[in-house]
Amino acid sequence: MTLSRYAAIQASRRWPMELRQLRHFLALVEERSITRAAKRELIVQSGLSNSLQALERELGTPLYVRGTRPVRLTAAGEALVGPARRTLTSAAQAEQAVHHTRDVLIGTLRLGVSLSAQHLVPFASYLGEFTRDHPGIDLRLRYAPALAMISMVETGELDCVIGPAVSQVPGVRMTRLAREPLHLVCRADHRLAERAEVDMRQLANERFVEVPPGWTARLLSDAAFAGEGIPRRVVCEVGDWELFLELVSAGVGVGFAPVGLQYPVLTGPDSVLRLIAVEGVRLERHIYLILPSVGETSPAARRFADQMLRIHPAGS
């Protein structure tokens, strides 16, 4: 073997994967479809398939099971997901850090948001000001349950989150921005509608409309009933606050909702809903700015957090 041939082989072993291949792999992971992943990456399906096959050859193992719908990863594919995400995040941060030295911020800010917190933390206006100041930044907004978004910060899928949490979470930085009580919401013709306050034991036999497990409001209400040792019946789960209120308004059941929700079904002059404080338990959601550890925070997220906290100081 010639020296030049040996050097070429060693070079290929030292740098076996390309960022483009990892990006294509993660597109497949998140879309669970070759067709959707290719569309997302703006390439033809055969191009995406060839890129994935090249990655598999370099790693010496299949990464996904052919012919499954949705696409199912092999054990090797599952093992690659986390390192691939961290590699792409580090590469993006490296590029942004270089531009940051020239005071030019570029890249993408991946932000998780709780839409129902907009009346407490008007993040749309904050993002408007941020992007006007930094036109090189593109935004990618995600909406998900609170626990899922915090997990996505931990795994590097999101750069930061503006949303609720029940308590401080180790491994991420959390700055409380606002807080808001949850009240019982029921129809005006409900037996408790005229009361100024209710206690948990008065709700023992009620039918409840609830948000899904993993939402902060659900964690709080489940804990309140468990703390009192009171069973309850959840007759409907829905992952949308406006529809939640519509269902209560229609008489499906009662529920617990943040008091400041700005939906006509609750705030309109013809609303049939009533909000009643709950005594004896602390039903209060807190809205946080959530960031990864200092060393893992992207320049865009760091600049956005600094700018937002100047406008919206941390709440108590």
Side-chain angles (χ1 to χ4, degrees):
M1 180 183 296
T2 66
L3 182 60
S4 60
R5 174 64 176 158
Y6 177 79
I9 292 174
Q10 292 304 309
S12 67
R13 287 176 178 169
R14 191 175 299 115
W15 302 104
M17 290 176 285
E18 299 178 5
L19 294 177
R20 171 181 54 84
Q21 294 171 332
L22 294 179
R23 192 179 70 246
H24 292 167
F25 170 69
L26 289 180
L28 180 68
V29 169
E30 293 165 9
E31 298 296 337
R32 296 291 178 173
S33 161
I34 291 285
T35 302
R36 292 195 299 271
K39 184 177 180 180
R40 169 172 142 178
E41 291 298 305
L42 302 177
I43 60 174
V44 297
Q45 292 185 43
S46 59
L48 184 85
S49 296
N50 290 339
S51 176
L52 294 171
Q53 289 170 10
L55 180 59
E56 289 177 321
R57 284 195 301 271
E58 290 162 353
L59 293 175
T61 184
L63 297 175
Y64 65 100
V65 180
R66 267 68 174 175
T68 57
R69 293 187 180 180
V71 167
R72 180 164 56 86
L73 299 182
T74 63
E78 293 285 0
L80 180 60
V81 173
R85 284 193 174 124
R86 289 192 290 274
T87 298
L88 290 179
T89 297
S90 295
Q93 290 176 355
E95 181 183 12
Q96 292 175 15
V98 172
H99 285 275
H100 186 54
T101 64
R102 303 200 304 265
D103 202 33
V104 177
L105 204 58
I106 67 165
T108 301
L109 177 64
R110 302 166 301 166
L111 177 65
V113 294
S114 172
L115 296 180
S116 66
Q118 171 74 1
H119 64 283
L120 296 171
V121 183
F123 49 81
S125 63
Y126 300 157
L127 288 168
E129 180 169 340
F130 178 72
T131 54
R132 286 193 298 272
D133 291 344
H134 305 287
I137 292 293
D138 297 328
L139 300 176
R140 299 290 183 270
L141 302 187
R142 294 283 298 272
Y143 329 113
L147 291 180
M149 290 198 295
I150 293 172
S151 177
M152 292 167 76
V153 170
E154 294 175 306
T155 60
E157 296 173 74
L158 288 175
D159 297 312
C160 60
V161 165
I162 298 173
V166 173
S167 60
Q168 292 284 334
V169 178
V172 297
R173 294 180 292 145
M174 301 175 62
T175 303
R176 188 163 58 189
L177 302 172
R179 57 185 179 181
E180 178 179 43
L182 305 179
H183 282 187
L184 178 73
V185 57
C186 64
R187 285 174 52 92
D189 57 3
H190 189 274
R191 64 183 178 86
L192 299 174
E194 299 304 319
R195 299 184 65 92
E197 292 184 329
V198 297
D199 63 50
M200 298 299 293
R201 297 199 170 276
Q202 291 175 295
L203 305 175
N205 297 314
E206 293 292 336
R207 295 162 50 91
F208 275 86
V209 178
E210 265 292 1
V211 291
W215 286 43
T216 299
R218 179 65 178 272
L219 296 172
L220 290 169
S221 60
D222 282 350
F225 275 94
E228 296 290 329
I230 303 172
R232 67 165 172 163
R233 182 183 174 193
V234 175
V235 298
C236 181
E237 290 182 351
V238 57
D240 178 272
W241 278 117
E242 186 171 20
L243 181 54
F244 172 99
L245 294 170
E246 293 280 2
L247 290 167
V248 175
S249 179
V252 174
V254 301
F256 296 106
V259 297
L261 293 178
Q262 300 295 304
Y263 298 116
V265 64
L266 180 64
T267 61
D270 57 347
S271 174
V272 300
L273 295 178
R274 299 293 181 269
L275 289 168
I276 307 169
V278 183
E279 61 180 350
V281 294
R282 184 163 185 167
L283 290 173
E284 184 176 74
R285 71 169 182 167
H286 294 184
I287 307 300
Y288 292 89
L289 171 65
I290 304 170
L291 295 160
S293 60
V294 173
E296 297 178 355
T297 303
S298 71
R302 184 165 57 250
R303 189 77 66 88
F304 171 68
D306 290 344
Q307 183 169 321
M308 195 194 80
L309 290 174
R310 285 197 297 270
I311 304 169
H312 190 118
S316 59

